[in-house]
Amino acid sequence: GRPTDAEISLTLESFDIDGVSKVWQKALDRCCRLEDFGGAITAARTLLEAVCRRILKDGGNHVSDGQNLPTLYSQVTKVLRLSPDHTTDNELKRVLGGCQNIVSGLGALRNRLGDAHASSNADRYQAELAVQLAGAMACYLVATWHQHLRGQSASATD
């Protein structure tokens, strides 16, 4: 593993050891140990979905089973104020828009190269890219969620 794998693992374990963390471990195992590259891409996309669902549920938002990843991510960006519309900083707008593109792209990559549709032609590098991007995005969302909760606690004690 890479040094970032351990950091991501710690962050996701502290957030949800039985759900989100297990999906992250599955993505790493499929990519690095099992060389199941299509499965790794599918697990990477599932990781982001699991993080989004958990944040929304913990925040008291209704989440239906049929919601797709881009919809879930959009809801999370509204809750956490991570939408490009929530800033006037042009560089930050570009980065946040890039995050939206990553989420959308991982969903599309899973549909084309993941193992969810019976065949996969994914290679190691595509799988590693998907897993690392999903891990970084998951950590960013979790860290922002914790910051959001701290802000709510501070407001409640004022």
Side-chain angles (χ1 to χ4, degrees), residues 70-146:
T71 300
L72 292 167
Y73 181 76
S74 178
Q75 287 178 285
V76 167
T77 63
K78 288 179 180 131
V79 169
L80 300 180
R81 301 187 54 76
L82 293 176
S83 168
D85 299 335
H86 286 117
T87 184
T88 57
D89 183 313
N90 286 332
E91 288 76 22
L92 188 55
K93 272 183 188 282
R94 288 177 55 196
V95 170
L96 293 174
C99 290
Q100 287 177 325
N101 287 333
I102 287 170
V103 170
S104 177
L106 285 173
L109 194 64
R110 176 264 195 189
N111 289 341
R112 193 169 63 80
L113 296 177
D115 66 355
H117 296 294
S119 67
S120 173
N121 295 321
D123 65 34
R124 171 182 303 279
Y125 304 107
Q126 293 162 333
E128 286 179 359
L129 178 63
V131 170
Q132 292 302 310
L133 285 172
M137 288 291 303
C139 279
Y140 178 64
L141 292 173
V142 168
T144 306
W145 173 243
H146 287 158

Side-chain angles (χ1 to χ4, degrees), residues 2-87:
R2 293 160 215 70
T4 55
D5 294 350
E7 291 175 33
I8 292 169
S9 294
L10 287 173
T11 298
L12 298 180
E13 283 174 15
S14 71
F15 178 63
D16 180 1
I17 196 164
D18 291 326
V20 170
S21 180
K22 284 185 179 180
V23 176
W24 168 245
Q25 290 305 317
K26 182 187 292 187
L28 288 177
D29 284 348
R30 287 180 174 183
C31 190
C32 302
R33 192 173 58 80
L34 301 174
E35 295 188 358
D36 173 9
F37 305 127
I41 290 170
T42 298
R45 182 228 166 263
T46 301
L47 173 65
L48 286 179
E49 181 178 336
V51 168
C52 289
R53 285 183 181 282
R54 173 73 191 270
I55 288 171
L56 291 169
K57 286 179 183 176
D58 286 358
N61 298 285
H62 173 72
V63 181
S64 68
D65 289 339
Q67 289 177 294
N68 63 22
L69 178 58
T71 300
L72 292 167
Y73 181 76
S74 178
Q75 287 178 285
V76 167
T77 63
K78 288 179 180 131
V79 169
L80 300 180
R81 301 187 54 76
L82 293 176
S83 168
D85 299 335
H86 286 117
T87 184

